[in-house]
């Protein structure tokens, strides 16, 4: 079961990272200031992550889905949004870069959880 | 009775099992079972919800389950009746517990103090009805002390507050502020989903720590 959940979490982050990238490239036009593009694309990506969280929450649980997907949406949106401000981004490219950032976010959350999970503070033995 | 909170959770009751009955139980079931394995004596279980957690209770215990929502209690009742022990569920506000001081041996909560409007006051009410030396066992999601998760949880709280829980509560600090002594904290997901064990009484003062 743990392996299934791992695979489902990974796929969810790849999928919604790609969708966040797509949404960011659709919203940010070529020629925008990069900082403005980043600030606008970030909530767009996070909104995609939030929608993904709400869709997957019943099957995959709450925090374990919400936190990685919101992070995925945020960074995928920011990255693709900034790229779209510099030059036009093709559909396939926005999906691929979004998915890549989904993978990076998933890896970050997975490693952070490996370090923290089970960590127990005990004052009475 | 806090009618605003009660009606919020009455509305949530309709979809509660759909939202929490599969994924969350797959992730958290084992940790909850481990926490509840210590149950003994006269037990108060706070925010029983639709009774999803009853499956993890060890058999043969004497448990009173309360919830502020009548709709939740209606759904929890068949599960409480099926419990192999003595279990009673009743609608009640944690801020208005009718029990005498030092009435319970143990108190348990499960994803509760993300939703109690005044968490420290609620915990103080639990402190009052718990016997000296009695234990508090909590399975809770809390705020995070780590970036970027704390940012995410703050942002999510601005949306989730209207529908139900808050995601950024400093529950461990709240437990200490209510007069309990925290004896252990076990992380189940990041520093967000945790089992918190505390005791009423003077043992060893825990060091101050994050949320």
């Amino acid at each position: 079961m743990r392996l299934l959940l791992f695979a489902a979490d990974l796929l969810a982050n790849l999928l919604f990272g790609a969708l966040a990238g797509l949404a960011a490239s659709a919203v940010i036009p070529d020629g925008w200031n990069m900082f403005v593009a980043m600030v606008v694309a970030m909530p767009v990506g996070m909104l995609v992550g939030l929608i993904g969280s709400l869709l997957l929450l019943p099957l995959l649980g709450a925090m374990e889905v919400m936190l990685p997907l919101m992070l995925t949406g945020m960074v995928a949106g920011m990255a693709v949004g900034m790229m779209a401000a510099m030059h036009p981004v093709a559909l396939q490219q926005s999906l691929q870069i979004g998915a890549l950032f989904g993978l990076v976010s998933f890896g970050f959350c997975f490693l952070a959880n490996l370090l923290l999970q089970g960590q127990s503070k005990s004052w009475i033995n | 009775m806090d009618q605003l909170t009660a009606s919020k959770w009455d509305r949530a009751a309709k979809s509660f099992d759909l939202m929490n009955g599969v994924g969350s139980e797959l992730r958290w079931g084992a940790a909850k079972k481990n926490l509840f394995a210590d149950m003994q004596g006269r037990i108060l279980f706070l925010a029983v919800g639709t009774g999803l957690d009853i499956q993890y209770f060890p058999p043969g215990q004497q448990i009173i389950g309360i919830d502020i929502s009548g709709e939740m209690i209606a759904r929890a009742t068949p599960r409480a009746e099926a419990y192999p022990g003595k279990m009673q569920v009743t609608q009640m506000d944690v801020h208005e517990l009718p029990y005498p001081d030092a009435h319970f041996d143990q108190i348990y909560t499960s994803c509760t103090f993300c939703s109690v409007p005044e968490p420290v006051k609620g915990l103080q009410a639990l402190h009052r009805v718990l016997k000296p030396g009695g234990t508090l066992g909590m399975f809770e999601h809390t705020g995070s002390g780590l970036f970027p998760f704390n940012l995410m949880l703050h942002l999510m709280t601005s949306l989730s507050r209207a529908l139900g829980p808050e995601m950024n509560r400093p529950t461990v600090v709240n437990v200490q502020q209510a007069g309990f002594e925290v004896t252990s904290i076990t992380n189940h997901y990041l520093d967000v989903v945790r089992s918190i064990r505390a005791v009423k009484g003077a043992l060893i003062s825990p060091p101050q720590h994050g949320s």
Side-chain angles (χ1 to χ4, degrees), chain A residues 59-100:
Chain A
L59 280 177
L60 297 181
M63 295 299 168
E64 293 84 350
V65 172
M66 279 187 195
L67 286 170
L69 282 190
M70 291 278 282
L71 184 62
T72 285
M74 186 177 81
V75 295
M78 283 166 63
V80 177
M82 288 167 75
M83 282 182 63
M86 288 188 288
H87 54 78
V89 179
L91 174 74
Q92 191 180 351
Q93 197 182 11
S94 64
L95 289 170
Q96 284 173 342
I97 295 167
L100 176 66

